[in-house]
Amino acid sequence: GADIRFDDVSVTYPNGFTGLKGINLSIPAGEMVGIVGLSGAGKSTLVRTINGLVPITSGRISVGNHQLTGRGEAQLRGRDLRELRSNVGMVFQSFNLARRTTVINNVLMGRLYHSPAWRTLLGAWKNDDVELAMSALERVEIVQKAYEKASSLSGGQQQRVAIARTLAQRPKVILADEPVASLDPPTSHVVMRDLQRINAELGITVVVNLHFLDLARRYSDRLIGLRSGEVVFDGPGADADESV
Ligand code: ADP
Ligand code: ADP
């Protein structure tokens, strides 16, 4: 895992909307953190700043030994951004799989940051890459679907493939932005259990946005509650009440 630190981080969007306001946080390596709050509270913004998907306006974020800074200082770009993203996997609500190709090809895409472009273009993967992809599929218990078309899988299965794709990149951090928002409750539990197991077994730091407080409480070591871009709760899941 990698430590994540926010020092006085604010995000103002180009249209003037406030994403985050003066966030200070320290997330130790290996922690599983749930981000909760109402719609518009800043959950998605917070998660997306950690891999540079949303640039910060001021303050500083460190992820392991990578630094992201606000305007006025250089934003990460090119090679540095690529290296940060190789260490930080991301899972979205909408899975974002290449639906027309196989599950294993999707998972191999997780090797993109670690392989030369020609290898990726030709699909000329090394055995090591294929083995890593297969073991990632085993970890989310979906290896039997490796050679099926991604579009033939259910939503929950597709999300587990997306998780396997991030695992294949051997990340230090996994960010999950509403990973279960389009899944039914039983499937949501399966996906959350996968994330929890990956966190526990591999020591990968997990930061996950969740709309539902009970899911967040059940699967996180720590909950961070946001309201209007500010932290209004930070503590063990069990202590979170309706104030979040
Ligand atoms: P949440 O994930 O908790 O629903 P968001 O981080 O998506 O919250 O949004 C926080 C605030 O930032 C909201 O006011 C939202 O309208 C605004 N916001 C989010 N994304 C954008 C964007 N791309 N452009 C402008 N404003 C945005
Ligand atoms: P190792 O030091 O050999 O990587 P670990 O105890 O870290 O051993 O990992 C045990 C298993 O989990 C190995 O098969 C390894 O390939 C796999 N593994 C470890 N870290 C990751 C990761 N970040 N993503 C995917 N698989 C991993």
Side-chain angles (χ1 to χ4, degrees), residues 11-180:
V11 171
T12 306
Y13 284 103
N15 64 358
F17 279 48
T18 298
L20 297 174
K21 252 192 306 204
I23 301 283
N24 290 293
L25 282 177
S26 176
I27 299 174
E31 199 164 52
M32 177 140 178
V33 178
I35 311 293
V36 294
L38 298 176
S39 179
K43 304 183 293 295
S44 172
T45 303
L46 186 143
V47 163
R48 287 167 187 236
T49 57
I50 299 171
N51 71 350
L53 214 52
V54 171
I56 63 178
T57 312
S58 62
R60 175 182 295 269
I61 299 175
S62 59
V63 184
N65 44 28
H66 300 279
Q67 308 284 331
L68 289 155
T69 52
R71 228 171 263 154
E73 299 176 64
Q75 290 275 350
L76 271 194
R77 60 169 73 87
R79 192 197 171 109
D80 290 337
L81 189 60
R82 195 178 149 94
E83 203 186 300
L84 168 72
R85 290 192 179 159
S86 76
N87 284 310
V88 181
M90 179 116 195
V91 177
F92 298 91
Q93 171 177 350
S94 51
F95 325 136
N96 290 358
L97 298 184
R99 293 169 51 80
R100 296 167 70 114
T101 185
T102 57
V103 163
I104 184 77
N105 278 339
N106 272 277
V107 177
L108 282 164
M109 288 302 145
R111 301 300 299 156
L112 265 176
Y113 289 116
H114 301 277
S115 308
W118 65 266
R119 200 182 280 291
T120 313
L121 286 169
L122 295 179
W125 300 101
K126 290 194 290 188
N127 285 342
D128 286 357
D129 292 322
V130 177
E131 274 168 28
L132 195 55
M134 288 306 252
S135 89
L137 284 170
E138 268 164 29
R139 209 171 272 283
V140 294
E141 296 169 279
I142 205 147
V143 73
Q144 73 285 2
K145 303 279 187 192
Y147 294 98
E148 296 190 19
K149 225 176 170 189
S151 59
S152 71
L153 271 55
S154 70
Q157 291 170 334
Q158 289 191 38
Q159 192 58 296
R160 284 147 71 201
V161 173
I163 292 169
R165 179 178 56 190
T166 74
L167 277 183
Q169 80 186 66
R170 291 187 136 255
K172 295 193 168 72
V173 176
I174 291 180
L175 307 174
D177 191 1
E178 299 275 11
V180 299

